[in-house]
Amino acid sequence: MSSRERILGRVRRALADVPRDDTPPVPEGPGRDPRYERAVARDYLREHGDLGVERTVDLLAENLADYRAVVHRCATADLASTIAGILAARGANTVLVPPGLDPAWLSAAESEPVPDRAESTARELDGVDSVVTACAVAIAETGTIVLDGSPDQGRRRITLVPDHHICVVRVPEQVVSSVPRALERLDPARPSTWISGPSATSDIELDRVEGVHGPRTLEVVLVGGRASAEVTS
């Protein structure tokens, strides 16, 4: 039995005597309280205007860069050479590869691919120079990319331990304007990792320190749509 199964088993046992519907009852009698149903309005804005596809992708690039991510744009045919160029510029000798990543993405790279293995230790992952993943969705308004642990994204820890993360976003199909639009696409039963720029904290006297909880360098490749050699940072 895994640790996950043991923890979920304890949660189920703790909730065994809790009614499935725990909505507060009507004070005068049993049943659902209509006032409770009305207490949480679901009519909030799901996006702030219609920017159109191109402007939404541009907004994503601007906000990613604002969070100090390095943004690249390329056509689909140039993706392998773009990733190879990023790894070479970084001087990455090794690159961590999720099990479902498209092999063509790394076909031009000279870095040694390192398969993600369940038994890999944190020290071993820390010794890998870079990691390349896909993403589940990207949010333009917040400059956020979301990973959901799919095979082309891998487990959460492979994007937290290596110091350099390259994330590929397919545009425009994986780009949404707002957080509510992103939530509509995500499976709530899957573990999701929300990333807005390199890992950073200002907990101590508001001094920004990068790389405390994850990679110090995040590079996002927007692939498809408008091809460009432009790099923003």
Side-chain angles (χ1 to χ4, degrees):
M1 178 181 293
S2 67
S3 297
R4 180 176 184 273
E5 291 169 335
R6 284 196 292 272
I7 292 172
L8 290 177
R10 291 173 187 170
V11 172
R12 293 190 184 98
R13 288 193 294 274
L15 297 176
D17 58 348
V18 177
R20 294 185 64 84
D21 184 356
D22 62 348
T23 302
V26 176
E28 292 78 15
R32 301 177 68 88
D33 187 342
R35 293 172 297 179
Y36 180 86
E37 290 296 304
R38 291 194 298 269
V40 182
R42 309 291 183 184
D43 56 352
Y44 46 78
L45 285 177
R46 296 188 175 277
E47 56 188 357
H48 300 95
D50 183 9
L51 297 178
V53 173
E54 185 172 347
R55 180 64 189 122
T56 299
V57 174
D58 287 345
L59 180 61
L60 171 65
E62 292 168 8
N63 285 330
L64 283 167
D66 193 47
Y67 275 114
R68 304 192 186 186
V70 180
V71 183
H72 307 261
R73 290 187 173 191
C74 71
T76 303
D78 298 328
L79 178 58
S81 60
T82 299
I83 293 176
I86 296 171
L87 291 170
R90 177 78 178 184
N93 294 316
T94 52
V95 55
L96 196 60
V97 183
L101 194 76
D102 186 343
W105 290 10
L106 293 174
S107 59
E110 296 184 355
S111 307
E112 176 189 354
V114 178
D116 176 35
R117 298 178 296 121
E119 60 270 27
S120 296
T121 66
R123 183 178 294 276
E124 290 171 334
L125 294 176
D126 191 42
V128 181
D129 295 319
S130 303
V131 58
V132 177
T133 73
C135 77
V137 67
I139 307 168
E141 287 184 350
T142 60
T144 304
I145 54 176
V146 185
L147 281 59
D148 67 358
S150 293
D152 58 357
Q153 298 152 48
R155 297 172 299 151
R156 176 175 291 165
R157 69 175 185 166
I158 72 170
T159 59
L160 296 180
V161 180
D163 202 33
H164 179 222
H165 180 192
I166 301 171
C167 184
V168 176
V169 180
R170 300 180 181 88
V171 299
E173 58 266 34
Q174 288 191 309
V175 181
V176 297
S177 58
S178 65
V179 171
R181 292 299 185 198
L183 291 174
E184 292 171 355
R185 292 195 181 194
L186 295 171
D187 181 349
R190 297 188 66 85
S192 60
T193 303
W194 296 56
I195 302 170
S196 296
S199 168
T201 180
S202 300
D203 288 347
I204 301 176
E205 297 186 356
L206 299 181
D207 289 333
R208 181 182 173 94
V209 179
E210 296 185 346
V212 176
H213 308 297
R216 279 179 289 189
T217 304
L218 171 67
E219 303 202 46
V220 179
V221 182
L222 305 179
V223 59
R226 186 179 68 190
S228 171
E230 175 188 3
V231 177
T232 57
S233 62

